[in-house]
Amino acid sequence: MLRLPLPVPLKISPLLMICGGIVLFWAFVSIFGEMIVPHNPLAISVMERLQPPSAKHIFGTDALGRDVLSRVFVGSRSVLFISLAATTIAISWGTIFGLYAGYFPGYLSDVLLRIFEAFMALPVVLLSMVAVVALGPSSITVILVIGILFIPVVAKTVRAVVLGESKRTYVAAARLLPERPLVILVREVLPNISGTIVVEATVRLGYAIFITATLSFLGLGVQPPTPDWGLMIYESFGLVSAGIWWPVFFPALAIASLVISISLIAERIFRNER
Amino acid sequence: MNDEARREPVLRVADLRLAYRVDGELRETIRGLSFQVERGEAYALVGESGCGKSTVAFAAVHYLPDNTVHLGGQILLAGQDIRALSWQQRRLLRKSVVSMVYQNAATALNPTMRIGDQIAEVFLIRGFSRAEACLGAEDALRKVRISDVGKVLQSYPQQLSGGMQQRVVIAMAISASPELIILDEPTTGLDATVEAEILELLENLRQELKVALLFISHNLAVVAQLCDRVGTLYAGRMVEEGSTSSLLFNPHHPYTASLLRCLPKRGADKWTEVLTTIEGLPPKPGSILTGCVFAGRCTLVKPECRKGHPEAIVVGQGQKSWCIRAAEVPAMAFERPKQAPPADQKAPPLPPVIEVRNLSKSYGHGPNKVQILSDVSFAIRHQEVLGIVGESGSGKSTLAKVIVGLEPADPGSALMLMGRPMARLLEQRDPAQAGAIQMVFQDPSDSLNPKHKVKTILSRTATKALRLTASDAKQRTFEVAKSVKLDPSHVEYYPGALSGGLRQRVAIGRAIAGKPQFVVCDEPTSALDVSVQAAILNLLVDLQRHEGLSFIFVSHDLDVVRYISDRIMVLYFGRVMEIGPAEAVFSGPHHPYTEALLSAAAHLERKEVSKNRVRLRGEPPTHRFPPGGCVFHTRCPRKLGNICEEKAPPRQIGGNGHEIACHIPVNQLGRTADAR
């Protein structure tokens, strides 16, 4: 059985191979974007406005005559970068808060949890819109907003498994040594919950991509003329009713392929973890 | 059913061979097994875990996992080949011929259904009307000696105690009027007093209903009480078979003999007897065994043993042994190495290692407050083992946790280590004091971090507690591994790759690696096979003797506690009933509760346990409504009268520091007949 270098054993199935392939493809494209695209994604060509898919422009061109394929490829970078950075923030801080709240139940943990629950009750997209409007749209703002908004969810998940782990007697044995609480959390508990954290990170990444795209669709993320999936859909969605589907369809397909692949991988790791 | 079928044994297993398919590989678990259970007979299958006992039980009702592969042989249930039957015919057979009782009654009952409905269901399936089914359920509960039938019928399973739940499961089993009941470790999770009641019940039912029993157990003492014939199973083969008395008292197979020698004999203690262990592990399912299956672990093994399976040798009336050296077994059977007691140490009077005064522990506040431990006081001297016994719910484990400080004792409790007071909570003790007390837990797979290698676990303790450098800690790791009898290669493994016994050795190794003054062992052998238990007990005795350790040994197994302990404390409902030297506690005079515990314990030497047993009435009290006066008065067979309900009993001090909390004068307290 082939094993991935993850804290959980993972059987490689055909579905998982396809999903992993799609994710790796987008990762590759986002890194080498400019080097592999056939056209300059920013080059405006008045002569080639709204060309349907053809041999020269495989995904067609948009209202300014820019090559959709090149823009989708280069546009993957901002989405992946923002969502990965946001997920990293959410997972690291969520894990810290979760470890704390799970291992030190008490007044402070309760207060923390109530605040988290209050945040979780609000709709994420609405909240991030307000935050981005208040702070001004930029990649950094979007990263911070999504990252912080996801901390409560991660913290609650991590807390739940820490609660279970800390009842196990290997933790009691470490307390008897006596080991300091921080050492117990990092050395003893953390390795045993890493599987859950991997699952949670994958799930969060999927959601982060979705919200990043949503925010830029609403004009609150990456600013034009930088190519970005959500932004591309926003710029051209009015044309769909006129039968000009390609400037919207291909970025939408890109978002869907990435989000669905990541979700399926997350679901598979989760099932293995159990 | 015709006459021919009636003469057939109720279960006949002939040359059965089964394998499990794991990762596409066939792993043989039952390697040509034959036996039969006659009508009305109680037949026991014994052996260590992993020998295939439960597989046989499930195979008999054709209730095996999907990855089971049938390699050969037959199972005839009431004369019918269970594999040849259709699904409906098998259902018919399970409905009327055979029923099953599982180890864990709590999971065998449906928590969303009332007891009455669950039992009635059995009758409904058999085609009775609703009214008849309800009457049948009532009747079944009466048959299993449940006194308050009306109330139990209306209860949900989780409202009943473990013993009551097992009675309900047995009631369901007999409701089908079966010819055979298969019992898979039915008393394993139960206390000795409850176990004795269940065994008595099964014995009576067998006589009343003329039903045959197939009894699966690892506990030879339980088997001795109930069964007519015993088969010893090893690696999926029968190695010895015979009537209970001849097989258990005159074993002719080295494996049966070794199993018997692993058990501490009643009244035996560590200074007069070393327990014999069985080296090695049972062969893994699927391993290729050409000779005798036991050859790998046998002390009498000869080169011939490895050539072909031995033929059965008739060694006595109805007793067969599959061993070519069967005639030599009785000579080895009961000889045990003796050891000299340590020279009487007239040591200078050191302060006790641990002293506990007026220790109490409660949970909750106000009306929800429950008092788990009340006013427990004792001291443990240097190099002494204090055994703590009591039924489940007596507060044994809570006491262990409170002493080590994992849970804080109530204010007002005093704990002292080497004469110096200790904080109640572990985290508030100074590090030296905290490190001086270590603990060995019941389940080593839970108490060892699965993500750390054995060497990491051991060396971390050594570095931390003894402030060693990396290379010294490595040295100490190997020292510890050696003193807990681990192979040096084992330190490179993760706990998951080791067997239960080896894991418990690692856990003990971790406890002693930092050279503590005191170790609390909470049921350290309860999850282990008898052969492994013997090895762990020997190890603890060795550590006490050569490393000068003091222990608390918590267990519900009286013979084990008697074997390992210098002094014994008996707990009931969080109170000390009796404390004193092990020998005095066992020989009497006894507290009435101790007397009941001792007379309930199943053991090999005494088959007629149920006849003159001291019975306890009713159920243990609940913590919400604790009894006044002496907490034991609600169940005490020797209750004097009002004084027991109103006044807490005095601590009467007999000779040798033997204390008994009872209103009855010491010289009128009972002694169990067989104690030495």
Side-chain angles (χ1 to χ4, degrees):
Chain A
M1 190 174 84
L2 198 61
R3 288 202 168 175
L4 293 179
L6 287 173
V8 281
L10 195 58
K11 267 192 193 157
I12 303 296
S13 67
L15 181 69
L16 201 64
M17 296 258 282
I18 295 169
C19 293
I22 290 173
V23 173
L24 286 179
F25 168 76
W26 284 120
F28 175 82
V29 163
S30 65
I31 293 168
F32 297 104
E34 282 91 352
M35 290 177 228
I36 54 169
V37 291
H39 303 276
N40 180 350
L42 300 178
I44 297 170
S45 164
V46 191
M47 304 303 294
E48 292 180 310
R49 290 171 56 205
L50 298 176
Q51 297 282 314
S54 63
K56 189 182 174 202
H57 301 286
I58 299 169
F59 286 180
T61 58
D62 67 5
L64 297 176
R66 296 175 294 196
D67 181 47
V68 174
L69 173 77
S70 308
R71 288 182 66 78
V72 167
F73 275 21
V74 175
S76 64
R77 179 173 302 162
S78 57
V79 176
L80 273 178
F81 174 73
I82 290 172
S83 48
L84 269 177
T87 308
T88 311
I89 291 174
I91 287 295
S92 46
W93 285 97
T95 304
I96 290 169
F97 284 127
L99 282 170
Y100 179 85
Y103 193 72
F104 301 101
Y107 184 68
L108 195 57
S109 296
D110 283 348
V111 171
L112 210 60
L113 285 170
R114 293 301 92 74
I115 294 174
F116 286 167
E117 277 155 16
F119 263 91
M120 285 165 72
L122 298 169
V124 175
V125 174
L126 214 64
L127 210 59
S128 28
M129 269 175 68
V130 173
V132 174
V133 169
L135 300 170
S138 78
S139 302
I140 302 293
T141 321
V142 175
I143 290 171
L144 284 176
V145 166
I146 298 178
I148 291 169
L149 281 179
F150 279 177
I151 291 175
V153 193
V154 179
K156 293 269 286 183
T157 314
V158 171
R159 172 183 167 268
V161 283
V162 172
L163 270 182
E165 280 306 309
S166 48
K167 286 199 183 67
R168 292 182 60 183
T169 46
Y170 72 80
V171 173
R175 280 177 64 196
L176 284 168
L177 193 49
E179 205 79 89
R180 274 177 297 130
L182 185 65
V183 180
I184 295 180
L185 280 176
V186 174
R187 248 185 74 94
E188 308 287 333
V189 177
L190 195 57
N192 284 294
I193 61 165
S194 52
T196 309
I197 294 177
V198 169
V199 175
E200 190 59 25
T202 323
V203 173
R204 285 304 121 210
L205 183 62
Y207 278 109
I209 292 169
F210 199 75
I211 294 178
T212 311
T214 307
L215 286 179
S216 43
F217 172 78
L218 296 170
L220 297 171
V222 179
Q223 295 303 301
T226 317
D228 177 272
W229 296 349
L231 196 58
M232 288 167 74
I233 298 174
Y234 165 69
E235 286 167 347
S236 309
F237 80 98
L239 303 169
V240 175
S241 52
I244 301 164
W245 50 271
W246 54 92
V248 174
F249 175 75
F250 290 107
L253 183 69
I255 296 170
S257 69
L258 194 52
V259 172
I260 292 173
S261 300
I262 289 174
S263 308
L264 286 173
I265 293 172
E267 186 244 25
R268 194 52 61 94
I269 303 176
F270 181 67
R271 251 198 280 160
N272 265 277
E273 164 73 0
R274 305 262 294 197
Chain B
M1 197 188 297
N2 56 30
D3 282 347
E4 200 178 326
R6 216 177 284 282
R7 277 196 303 276
E8 268 285 305
V10 64
L11 175 70
R12 185 208 290 275
V13 174
D15 199 27
L16 181 70
R17 290 174 61 224
L18 291 177
Y20 290 114
R21 190 187 294 279
V22 182
D23 288 340
E25 211 179 293
L26 282 186
R27 301 201 177 153
E28 197 169 353
T29 43
I30 304 296
R31 307 162 192 262
L33 178 70
S34 305
F35 69 97
Q36 54 191 45
V37 182
E38 306 294 340
R39 288 181 185 274
E41 182 187 42
Y43 187 94
L45 281 177
V46 298
E48 287 170 283
S49 50
C51 283
K53 303 189 298 287
S54 294
T55 303
V56 175
F58 285 107
V61 287
H62 202 82
Y63 199 67
L64 288 164
D66 287 341
N67 63 340
T68 320
V69 181
H70 186 94
L71 298 176
Q74 260 191 331
I75 297 171
L76 299 173
L77 193 59
Q80 302 184 66
D81 185 349
I82 188 106
R83 288 186 63 234
L85 298 177
S86 70
W87 184 82
Q88 285 95 338
Q89 286 167 314
R90 265 205 294 272
R91 188 157 179 267
L92 206 67
L93 217 56
R94 288 182 196 148
K95 197 155 87 178
S96 59
V97 177
V98 60
S99 28
M100 211 155 168
V101 173
Y102 305 91
Q103 174 174 346
N104 191 345
T107 54
L109 293 171
N110 184 342
T112 64
M113 274 173 88
R114 289 178 198 277
I115 298 295
D117 296 336
Q118 291 194 47
I119 304 177
E121 206 177 27
V122 180
F123 290 95
L124 291 174
I125 291 171
R126 290 176 63 207
F128 288 92
S129 74
R130 183 84 225 171
E132 285 169 323
C134 289
L135 287 175
E138 252 185 84
D139 189 46
L141 285 184
R142 264 190 215 105
K143 278 201 185 115
V144 296
R145 317 282 187 274
I146 285 177
S147 46
D148 197 354
V149 172
K151 193 173 152 215
V152 172
L153 281 171
Q154 292 302 315
S155 305
Y156 287 97
Q158 58 275 22
Q159 295 170 313
L160 304 177
S161 67
M164 287 289 255
Q165 288 176 345
Q166 196 58 287
R167 275 168 201 265
V168 171
V169 175
I170 294 172
M172 288 172 74
I174 59 169
S175 295
S177 316
E179 292 165 47
L180 172 71
I181 302 180
I182 298 172
L183 303 117
D184 189 7
E185 305 260 9
T187 62
T188 300
L190 304 175
D191 282 318
T193 49
V194 183
E195 177 179 82
E197 282 165 20
I198 297 285
L199 290 176
E200 195 182 359
L201 170 69
L202 288 171
E203 177 68 42
N204 291 340
L205 285 176
R206 193 160 82 85
Q207 281 161 10
E208 263 170 53
L209 307 172
K210 308 273 178 262
V211 61
L213 304 178
L214 174 60
F215 195 94
I216 313 280
S217 182
H218 69 281
N219 189 335
L220 297 165
V222 165
V223 167
Q225 268 188 55
L226 186 68
C227 296
D228 306 315
R229 285 199 303 142
V230 184
T232 312
L233 210 57
Y234 186 80
R237 278 187 82 90
M238 193 67 83
V239 293
E240 188 171 9
E241 189 182 35
S243 74
T244 308
S245 52
S246 62
L247 188 123
L248 294 182
F249 296 101
N250 197 9
H252 276 80
H253 192 282
Y255 182 58
T256 318
S258 308
L259 276 182
L260 287 164
R261 291 202 303 175
C262 291
L263 295 170
K265 264 197 284 186
R266 173 126 290 206
D269 71 51
K270 57 192 165 187
W271 304 129
T272 53
E273 236 177 57
V274 181
L275 297 177
T276 324
T277 61
I278 311 178
E279 293 296 318
L281 292 171
K284 287 208 176 70
S287 43
I288 310 291
L289 305 166
T290 47
C292 168
V293 284
F294 189 57
R297 298 170 78 193
C298 186
T299 46
L300 297 178
V301 66
K302 274 190 164 176
E304 301 92 276
C305 295
R306 304 199 190 269
K307 292 175 198 135
H309 294 298
E311 290 296 316
I313 299 173
V314 177
V315 289
Q317 207 174 14
Q319 190 178 354
K320 285 186 284 183
S321 167
W322 282 258
C323 176
I324 54 172
R325 304 187 66 189
E328 296 161 56
V329 174
M332 57 110 37
F334 288 104
E335 84 190 29
R336 294 183 208 216
K338 305 265 188 236
Q339 70 178 19
D344 208 9
Q345 290 152 333
K346 286 276 176 268
L350 291 168
V353 178
I354 287 274
E355 197 177 347
V356 168
R357 253 187 262 136
N358 309 108
L359 182 139
S360 300
K361 174 71 189 167
S362 56
Y363 291 98
H365 300 282
N368 293 322
K369 183 172 162 177
V370 290
Q371 192 77 32
I372 306 295
L373 292 169
S374 303
D375 202 20
V376 175
S377 301
F378 62 89
I380 297 172
R381 286 183 287 266
H382 183 66
Q383 210 170 1
E384 183 180 62
V385 177
L386 176 73
I388 300 180
V389 291
E391 293 171 290
S392 52
S394 61
K396 308 187 293 288
S397 290
T398 308
L399 180 59
K401 277 187 217 145
V402 168
I403 291 170
V404 298
L406 288 172
E407 305 258 354
D410 286 352
S413 316
L415 286 154
M416 289 196 285
L417 177 72
M418 307 298 280
R420 284 179 50 218
M422 276 192 299
R424 287 177 286 123
L425 187 63
L426 180 62
E427 275 76 11
Q428 286 152 9
R429 294 178 184 172
D430 75 64
Q433 272 189 334
I437 307 179
Q438 293 297 317
M439 189 159 171
V440 176
F441 299 88
Q442 175 172 354
D443 180 6
S445 53
D446 194 60
S447 73
L448 299 174
N449 193 330
K451 303 278 171 163
H452 290 322
K453 282 184 182 173
V454 170
K455 64 174 178 187
T456 321
I457 293 170
L458 295 179
S459 69
R460 176 70 187 177
T461 312
T463 343
K464 190 86 181 129
L466 304 173
R467 297 173 198 287
L468 296 179
T469 60
S471 68
D472 285 349
K474 202 173 167 196
Q475 180 70 30
R476 176 75 185 147
T477 302
F478 283 104
E479 240 174 74
V480 170
K482 203 176 152 211
S483 66
V484 297
K485 309 206 164 48
L486 280 173
D487 197 79
S489 68
H490 287 145
V491 301
E492 296 293 336
Y493 286 39
Y494 286 96
L498 300 175
S499 70
L502 290 176
R503 274 184 224 162
Q504 196 58 297
R505 280 169 208 237
V506 176
I508 293 172
R510 173 182 55 194
I512 63 163
K515 299 189 175 161
Q517 285 162 320
F518 181 63
V519 178
V520 175
C521 302
D522 185 11
E523 305 252 13
T525 62
S526 302
L528 307 173
D529 273 315
V530 284
S531 61
V532 183
Q533 165 173 298
I536 297 288
L537 292 179
N538 284 344
L539 170 64
L540 292 178
V541 173
D542 205 50
L543 292 173
Q544 181 197 5
R545 209 172 197 185
H546 297 118
E547 317 245 335
L549 270 178
S550 315
F551 290 103
I552 278 185
F553 191 96
V554 177
S555 178
H556 66 275
D557 187 327
L558 291 164
D559 286 339
V560 168
V561 169
R562 168 72 182 102
Y563 178 78
I564 192 102
S565 308
D566 300 304
R567 288 198 304 142
I568 292 177
M569 179 159 93
V570 182
L571 278 184
Y572 178 79
F573 202 64
R575 273 85 168 168
V576 180
M577 295 288 115
E578 180 169 1
I579 181 168
E583 199 253 316
V585 170
F586 265 67
S587 63
H590 308 292
H591 186 280
Y593 177 62
T594 316
E595 196 179 356
L597 278 185
L598 284 172
S599 73
H603 52 90
L604 285 169
E605 284 89 345
R606 186 177 53 170
K607 189 180 154 101
E608 302 299 312
V609 67
S610 46
K611 302 292 179 285
N612 46 17
R613 188 162 67 80
V614 179
R615 285 178 180 76
L616 295 184
R617 289 172 296 162
E619 298 273 312
T622 59
H623 285 288
R624 303 253 355 216
F625 307 102
C630 172
V631 286
F632 189 53
H633 82 250
T634 54
R635 302 175 76 200
C636 185
R638 298 197 58 191
K639 187 176 150 189
L640 292 173
N642 283 343
I643 186 170
C644 296
E645 290 172 25
E646 286 155 9
K647 237 179 109 193
R651 258 190 158 188
Q652 308 188 68
I653 301 182
N656 226 348
H658 187 188
E659 295 177 28
I660 298 175
C662 188
H663 289 294
I664 304 173
V666 174
N667 55 13
Q668 288 173 28
L669 285 168
R671 289 168 187 267
T672 42
D674 68 320
R676 282 172 225 174

